[in-house]
Amino acid sequence: MSYYPPLGFHFRVEFLDTSGAQKFSETSFQEVSGLTVEIGTEELSEGGVNDHSHRLPGKVKYGNLVLKRGMFTDSKLVDWIVKAVENYSFDPLNITVSLLNADHQPLMSWHFFRAWPVKWVTSDFKAQDNGIVVESFELAYKNFTCRKPNS
């Protein structure tokens, strides 16, 4: 049996409230990045042992989730971010990013818990270019899990 790695262009992003109910879905993202986790290390020096120190696993550190897409003028995601920026009112959301197969079914899903916006960037406007306006959303979160369907 031959195995072919999945392609990274077919994915879905869902926004859920913290109870797990779908809040809104915006699927037109051209890029999702920041699916990173790093386990830090701590060094422990032991008295009388001078040739090395012990390296132990430390705290888990997560990168920010970054979502990019062409600008939408009517967007619940933007409404959520504007509420946070203008009112300093943070309503954390759970976010699920799913890599999909040819039948549009999840191959793998990343579940981000209690996400909130930390950065919102709109691309520069340039009269000499004819490119689309791109929005970039950067979200911090408590933690994430990665799961195959039905596992």
Coordinates of all heavy atoms in Angstrom, one line a residue, residues 3-71:
Y3 N 1.6 5.3 0.5 CA 1.1 6.4 1.3 C 1.6 7.7 0.6 O 2.7 7.8 0.2 CB 1.7 6.3 2.7 CG 1.4 7.5 3.5 CD1 0.1 7.7 4.0 CD2 2.3 8.5 3.7 CE1 -0.2 8.8 4.8 CE2 2.0 9.7 4.4 CZ 0.7 9.8 5.0 OH 0.4 11.0 5.7
Y4 N 0.6 8.6 0.5 CA 0.9 9.9 0.0 C 0.6 10.9 1.1 O -0.5 11.0 1.6 CB 0.1 10.2 -1.3 CG 0.4 9.3 -2.4 CD1 -0.4 8.1 -2.7 CD2 1.5 9.5 -3.2 CE1 0.0 7.3 -3.7 CE2 1.9 8.6 -4.2 CZ 1.1 7.5 -4.5 OH 1.4 6.7 -5.5
P5 N 1.6 11.7 1.4 CA 1.3 12.8 2.4 C 0.2 13.7 2.0 O 0.0 14.0 0.8 CB 2.7 13.5 2.5 CG 3.7 12.6 2.0 CD 3.0 11.8 0.9
P6 N -0.6 14.2 3.0 CA -1.7 15.1 2.6 C -1.2 16.4 2.1 O -0.1 16.8 2.4 CB -2.4 15.3 3.9 CG -1.5 14.9 5.0 CD -0.5 13.9 4.4
L7 N -2.0 17.0 1.3 CA -1.7 18.3 0.7 C -2.2 19.4 1.7 O -3.2 19.2 2.3 CB -2.4 18.5 -0.7 CG -1.9 17.4 -1.7 CD1 -2.8 17.6 -3.0 CD2 -0.5 17.6 -2.0
G8 N -1.5 20.5 1.8 CA -1.8 21.5 2.8 C -2.7 22.6 2.3 O -2.9 23.6 3.0
F9 N -3.4 22.5 1.2 CA -4.2 23.6 0.7 C -5.7 23.4 1.0 O -6.5 24.3 0.7 CB -4.0 23.8 -0.8 CG -4.4 22.7 -1.7 CD1 -5.8 22.5 -2.0 CD2 -3.5 21.8 -2.1 CE1 -6.2 21.5 -2.8 CE2 -3.9 20.7 -3.0 CZ -5.2 20.6 -3.3
H10 N -6.1 22.2 1.5 CA -7.5 21.9 1.7 C -7.8 21.8 3.2 O -7.5 20.8 3.8 CB -7.8 20.6 1.0 CG -9.3 20.3 0.9 ND1 -10.3 21.3 0.7 CD2 -10.0 19.1 1.0 CE1 -11.4 20.7 0.6 NE2 -11.3 19.4 0.8
F11 N -8.3 22.9 3.8 CA -8.5 22.9 5.3 C -9.7 23.8 5.6 O -10.3 24.5 4.7 CB -7.3 23.5 6.0 CG -6.8 24.8 5.5 CD1 -7.3 26.0 6.1 CD2 -5.9 25.0 4.5 CE1 -6.9 27.2 5.7 CE2 -5.5 26.2 4.0 CZ -6.0 27.3 4.6
R12 N -10.2 23.6 6.8 CA -11.4 24.4 7.3 C -11.0 24.9 8.7 O -10.3 24.3 9.5 CB -12.6 23.4 7.4 CG -13.8 24.0 8.0 CD -15.0 23.0 8.0 NE -14.7 21.8 8.7 CZ -14.9 20.6 8.3 NH1 -15.5 20.4 7.1 NH2 -14.6 19.5 9.0
V13 N -11.6 26.1 9.0 CA -11.4 26.8 10.3 C -12.8 27.1 10.8 O -13.6 27.7 10.2 CB -10.6 28.1 10.2 CG1 -10.4 28.7 11.5 CG2 -9.3 27.9 9.5
E14 N -13.0 26.6 12.1 CA -14.3 26.8 12.7 C -14.1 27.5 14.0 O -13.1 27.2 14.8 CB -15.0 25.4 13.0 CG -15.3 24.6 11.7 CD -15.8 23.2 12.0 OE1 -14.9 22.4 12.4 OE2 -17.0 23.0 12.0
F15 N -15.0 28.4 14.4 CA -15.0 29.1 15.6 C -16.1 28.7 16.5 O -17.3 28.7 16.1 CB -15.1 30.6 15.3 CG -13.9 31.1 14.5 CD1 -14.0 31.0 13.1 CD2 -12.8 31.6 15.1 CE1 -12.9 31.4 12.3 CE2 -11.7 32.1 14.3 CZ -11.8 32.0 12.9
L16 N -15.8 28.3 17.7 CA -16.8 27.7 18.7 C -16.7 28.5 19.9 O -15.7 29.0 20.3 CB -16.4 26.3 19.0 CG -16.1 25.4 17.8 CD1 -15.3 24.2 18.2 CD2 -17.4 24.9 17.1
D17 N -17.9 28.6 20.6 CA -17.8 29.2 22.0 C -17.2 28.2 22.9 O -16.9 27.1 22.5 CB -19.2 29.7 22.4 CG -20.2 28.6 22.6 OD1 -19.8 27.4 22.8 OD2 -21.4 28.9 22.6
T18 N -16.9 28.6 24.1 CA -16.1 27.7 25.0 C -16.9 26.5 25.5 O -16.3 25.6 26.0 CB -15.6 28.5 26.2 OG1 -16.7 29.2 26.8 CG2 -14.5 29.5 25.8
S19 N -18.2 26.5 25.2 CA -18.9 25.2 25.5 C -18.9 24.2 24.4 O -19.3 23.1 24.5 CB -20.4 25.6 25.8 OG -21.1 26.0 24.7
G20 N -18.4 24.6 23.2 CA -18.2 23.7 22.1 C -19.3 24.0 21.0 O -19.2 23.3 19.9
A21 N -20.2 24.8 21.2 CA -21.2 25.1 20.2 C -20.6 26.0 19.1 O -19.9 26.9 19.4 CB -22.5 25.8 20.8
Q22 N -21.0 25.8 17.8 CA -20.4 26.6 16.8 C -20.9 28.0 16.9 O -22.1 28.3 16.9 CB -20.8 26.0 15.4 CG -20.1 26.8 14.3 CD -20.2 26.1 13.0 OE1 -20.6 24.9 12.9 NE2 -19.7 26.7 11.9
K23 N -20.0 28.9 16.9 CA -20.3 30.4 17.0 C -20.5 30.9 15.6 O -21.4 31.6 15.2 CB -19.2 31.1 17.7 CG -19.5 32.5 18.1 CD -19.8 32.6 19.5 CE -19.9 34.1 19.9 NZ -20.4 34.4 21.2
F24 N -19.5 30.7 14.7 CA -19.5 31.0 13.3 C -18.4 30.3 12.6 O -17.5 29.7 13.2 CB -19.4 32.5 13.1 CG -18.1 33.2 13.7 CD1 -17.0 33.3 13.0 CD2 -18.2 33.7 15.0 CE1 -15.8 33.9 13.6 CE2 -17.1 34.3 15.6 CZ -15.9 34.4 14.9
S25 N -18.5 30.2 11.3 CA -17.6 29.5 10.4 C -17.2 30.4 9.3 O -18.0 31.0 8.6 CB -18.2 28.2 9.9 OG -17.2 27.5 9.1
E26 N -15.9 30.6 9.1 CA -15.4 31.4 8.0 C -14.3 30.6 7.4 O -13.3 30.4 8.0 CB -14.9 32.8 8.5 CG -16.0 33.6 9.1 CD -15.7 35.1 9.3 OE1 -14.8 35.6 8.6 OE2 -16.4 35.7 10.1
T27 N -14.5 30.2 6.2 CA -13.7 29.2 5.6 C -12.8 29.7 4.5 O -12.1 28.9 3.8 CB -14.5 28.0 5.0 OG1 -15.4 28.6 4.0 CG2 -15.3 27.3 6.0
S28 N -12.8 31.0 4.2 CA -12.0 31.5 3.1 C -10.6 31.9 3.4 O -10.1 32.9 2.9 CB -12.8 32.7 2.5 OG -14.0 32.3 2.1
F29 N -9.9 31.2 4.3 CA -8.6 31.6 4.7 C -7.6 31.0 3.6 O -7.8 29.9 3.2 CB -8.2 31.0 6.1 CG -9.0 31.7 7.2 CD1 -10.1 31.1 7.7 CD2 -8.6 33.0 7.6 CE1 -10.8 31.7 8.7 CE2 -9.3 33.6 8.6 CZ -10.4 33.0 9.1
Q30 N -6.6 31.8 3.3 CA -5.6 31.3 2.3 C -4.4 30.7 3.0 O -3.6 30.0 2.4 CB -5.2 32.5 1.4 CG -4.5 33.6 2.1 CD -4.3 34.8 1.1 OE1 -5.3 35.3 0.6 NE2 -3.1 35.3 1.0
E31 N -4.3 31.0 4.3 CA -3.1 30.5 5.1 C -3.5 30.4 6.6 O -4.1 31.3 7.1 CB -1.9 31.5 4.9 CG -0.7 31.0 5.5 CD 0.5 32.0 5.2 OE1 0.5 32.6 4.1 OE2 1.3 32.1 6.1
V32 N -3.0 29.3 7.1 CA -3.0 29.1 8.6 C -1.6 28.7 9.0 O -1.0 27.8 8.4 CB -4.0 27.9 9.0 CG1 -3.9 27.7 10.5 CG2 -5.5 28.3 8.6
S33 N -1.1 29.4 10.0 CA 0.3 29.1 10.5 C 0.3 29.3 12.0 O -0.6 29.7 12.6 CB 1.3 30.0 9.8 OG 1.1 31.4 10.1
G34 N 1.4 28.8 12.5 CA 1.6 28.9 14.0 C 1.1 27.7 14.7 O 0.9 27.7 15.9
L35 N 1.0 26.5 14.0 CA 0.7 25.3 14.6 C 1.9 24.7 15.3 O 2.5 23.7 14.9 CB 0.1 24.3 13.6 CG -1.1 24.8 12.8 CD1 -1.4 23.8 11.7 CD2 -2.3 25.0 13.6
T36 N 2.4 25.4 16.3 CA 3.7 25.0 16.9 C 3.5 24.9 18.4 O 2.7 25.5 19.1 CB 4.7 26.1 16.7 OG1 4.3 27.3 17.3 CG2 5.0 26.3 15.2
V37 N 4.3 23.9 19.0 CA 4.4 23.7 20.4 C 5.8 23.3 20.7 O 6.5 22.7 19.9 CB 3.4 22.6 20.9 CG1 3.7 21.3 20.2 CG2 3.4 22.5 22.4
E38 N 6.3 23.8 21.8 CA 7.7 23.6 22.2 C 7.8 23.3 23.7 O 7.1 24.0 24.5 CB 8.5 24.9 21.9 CG 9.9 24.8 22.2 CD 10.6 26.2 21.9 OE1 10.1 26.9 21.1 OE2 11.7 26.4 22.5
I39 N 8.5 22.3 24.0 CA 8.7 21.9 25.4 C 10.1 22.5 25.8 O 11.1 22.1 25.2 CB 8.7 20.4 25.6 CG1 7.3 19.8 25.2 CG2 9.0 20.1 27.1 CD1 7.2 18.3 25.2
G40 N 10.0 23.4 26.7 CA 11.3 24.0 27.2 C 12.1 23.0 28.0 O 11.6 21.9 28.3
T41 N 13.3 23.4 28.3 CA 14.1 22.6 29.2 C 14.6 23.4 30.4 O 14.7 24.6 30.3 CB 15.3 22.0 28.4 OG1 16.1 23.1 27.9 CG2 14.9 21.1 27.3
E42 N 14.8 22.7 31.5 CA 15.4 23.4 32.6 C 16.7 22.6 33.0 O 16.7 21.4 32.9 CB 14.4 23.3 33.8 CG 13.2 24.1 33.5 CD 12.2 24.1 34.7 OE1 12.6 23.8 35.8 OE2 11.0 24.4 34.5
E43 N 17.7 23.4 33.4 CA 18.9 22.7 33.8 C 19.0 22.7 35.3 O 18.6 23.7 36.0 CB 20.1 23.5 33.2 CG 20.2 23.3 31.7 CD 21.5 23.6 31.2 OE1 22.6 23.6 31.9 OE2 21.6 23.9 30.0
L44 N 19.4 21.6 35.8 CA 19.5 21.4 37.2 C 21.0 21.0 37.6 O 21.5 19.9 37.0 CB 18.6 20.3 37.7 CG 18.6 19.9 39.2 CD1 18.1 21.0 40.0 CD2 17.7 18.7 39.4
S45 N 21.6 21.8 38.3 CA 23.0 21.4 38.7 C 23.0 20.6 40.0 O 22.2 21.0 41.0 CB 23.8 22.7 39.0 OG 23.9 23.4 37.7
E46 N 23.7 19.6 40.0 CA 23.8 18.7 41.2 C 25.1 18.9 41.9 O 26.1 18.9 41.3 CB 23.6 17.2 40.8 CG 23.6 16.2 41.9 CD 23.4 14.8 41.4 OE1 23.3 14.6 40.1 OE2 23.4 13.9 42.2
G47 N 25.0 19.1 43.2 CA 26.2 19.3 44.0 C 27.2 18.1 43.9 O 26.7 17.0 44.0
G48 N 28.4 18.4 43.7 CA 29.4 17.4 43.5 C 29.6 16.8 42.1 O 30.5 16.1 41.8
V49 N 28.7 17.1 41.2 CA 28.8 16.7 39.8 C 29.2 17.9 39.0 O 28.4 18.8 38.8 CB 27.4 16.1 39.3 CG1 27.5 15.7 37.8 CG2 27.0 15.0 40.2
N50 N 30.4 17.9 38.6 CA 31.0 19.1 37.9 C 31.1 18.9 36.4 O 31.4 19.9 35.7 CB 32.3 19.5 38.5 CG 32.2 19.8 40.0 OD1 31.2 20.5 40.4 ND2 33.2 19.4 40.8
D51 N 30.9 17.7 35.9 CA 31.1 17.5 34.4 C 29.9 17.7 33.6 O 29.9 17.8 32.4 CB 31.7 16.1 34.2 CG 30.7 15.0 34.6 OD1 29.8 15.3 35.4 OD2 30.9 13.9 34.1
H52 N 28.7 17.9 34.2 CA 27.5 18.2 33.5 C 26.4 18.6 34.4 O 26.5 18.5 35.6 CB 27.0 16.9 32.7 CG 26.5 15.8 33.6 ND1 27.3 15.0 34.3 CD2 25.2 15.5 34.0 CE1 26.5 14.1 35.0 NE2 25.3 14.4 34.8
S53 N 25.3 19.2 33.8 CA 24.1 19.5 34.6 C 23.0 18.6 34.0 O 23.1 18.2 32.8 CB 23.8 21.0 34.5 OG 23.6 21.4 33.2
H54 N 22.0 18.4 34.8 CA 20.9 17.6 34.3 C 19.9 18.5 33.5 O 19.6 19.6 33.9 CB 20.1 16.9 35.4 CG 21.0 16.0 36.3 ND1 21.3 14.8 35.9 CD2 21.6 16.2 37.5 CE1 22.1 14.2 36.8 NE2 22.3 15.1 37.8
R55 N 19.5 18.0 32.3 CA 18.5 18.7 31.5 C 17.1 18.0 31.7 O 17.0 16.8 31.4 CB 18.9 18.8 30.1 CG 20.2 19.6 29.9 CD 20.5 19.8 28.5 NE 19.6 20.7 27.9 CZ 19.4 20.8 26.6 NH1 20.0 20.1 25.7 NH2 18.5 21.7 26.1
L56 N 16.2 18.8 32.1 CA 14.8 18.2 32.4 C 13.8 18.9 31.6 O 13.9 20.1 31.2 CB 14.5 18.4 33.9 CG 15.5 17.8 34.9 CD1 15.2 18.2 36.3 CD2 15.5 16.3 34.8
P57 N 12.7 18.2 31.2 CA 11.6 18.9 30.5 C 11.0 20.0 31.3 O 10.8 19.8 32.6 CB 10.6 17.8 30.2 CG 11.0 16.6 31.0 CD 12.4 16.8 31.5
G58 N 10.7 21.1 30.7 CA 10.1 22.3 31.4 C 8.7 22.5 30.9 O 8.0 21.6 30.5
K59 N 8.3 23.8 30.9 CA 7.0 24.2 30.5 C 6.8 24.1 29.0 O 7.7 24.2 28.2 CB 6.7 25.6 31.0 CG 6.7 25.8 32.5 CD 6.4 27.2 32.9 CE 6.4 27.3 34.4 NZ 6.1 28.7 34.8
V60 N 5.5 23.8 28.7 CA 5.1 23.8 27.3 C 4.8 25.2 26.8 O 4.1 26.0 27.5 CB 3.9 22.9 27.1 CG1 3.4 22.9 25.6 CG2 4.2 21.5 27.5
K61 N 5.3 25.6 25.7 CA 5.1 26.9 25.1 C 4.4 26.8 23.7 O 4.9 26.0 22.9 CB 6.4 27.7 25.0 CG 6.3 29.1 24.5 CD 7.6 29.8 24.5 CE 7.5 31.2 23.9 NZ 8.8 31.8 23.8
Y62 N 3.4 27.6 23.5 CA 2.6 27.6 22.3 C 2.9 28.9 21.5 O 2.9 29.9 22.1 CB 1.1 27.4 22.5 CG 0.8 26.1 23.2 CD1 0.7 26.1 24.6 CD2 0.6 25.0 22.5 CE1 0.3 24.9 25.3 CE2 0.3 23.8 23.2 CZ 0.1 23.8 24.5 OH -0.2 22.6 25.2
G63 N 3.0 28.7 20.2 CA 3.1 29.9 19.3 C 1.7 30.5 19.1 O 0.7 29.9 19.5
N64 N 1.6 31.7 18.5 CA 0.3 32.2 18.2 C -0.2 31.6 16.9 O 0.6 31.3 16.0 CB 0.4 33.8 18.1 CG 0.6 34.5 19.4 OD1 0.2 33.9 20.4 ND2 1.1 35.7 19.4
L65 N -1.5 31.5 16.8 CA -2.2 31.0 15.6 C -2.4 32.2 14.7 O -2.9 33.3 15.1 CB -3.5 30.4 16.0 CG -4.4 29.9 14.8 CD1 -3.7 28.7 14.1 CD2 -5.8 29.5 15.4
V66 N -2.0 32.1 13.4 CA -2.1 33.2 12.5 C -3.0 32.7 11.3 O -2.7 31.7 10.7 CB -0.7 33.6 11.9 CG1 -0.8 34.7 10.9 CG2 0.2 34.0 13.1
L67 N -4.0 33.5 11.0 CA -4.9 33.2 10.0 C -4.9 34.4 9.0 O -4.9 35.6 9.3 CB -6.4 33.2 10.5 CG -6.6 32.2 11.7 CD1 -8.0 32.4 12.2 CD2 -6.4 30.8 11.2
K68 N -4.7 34.1 7.7 CA -4.7 35.1 6.6 C -5.7 34.8 5.6 O -5.9 33.7 5.2 CB -3.3 35.1 6.0 CG -2.2 35.6 6.9 CD -0.8 35.6 6.2 CE 0.2 36.1 7.2 NZ 1.5 36.2 6.5
R69 N -6.2 35.9 5.0 CA -7.2 35.8 4.0 C -7.4 37.1 3.3 O -7.0 38.2 3.8 CB -8.6 35.3 4.5 CG -9.2 36.4 5.4 CD -10.6 36.0 5.8 NE -11.2 37.2 6.5 CZ -12.2 37.0 7.3 NH1 -12.8 35.9 7.4 NH2 -12.7 38.1 7.9
G70 N -8.1 37.1 2.1 CA -8.5 38.3 1.5 C -9.5 39.0 2.4 O -10.3 38.4 3.1
M71 N -9.5 40.4 2.4 CA -10.3 41.1 3.3 C -11.8 40.9 3.0 O -12.3 40.9 1.9 CB -10.0 42.6 3.1 CG -10.8 43.5 4.1 SD -10.2 45.2 3.8 CE -11.4 46.1 4.8

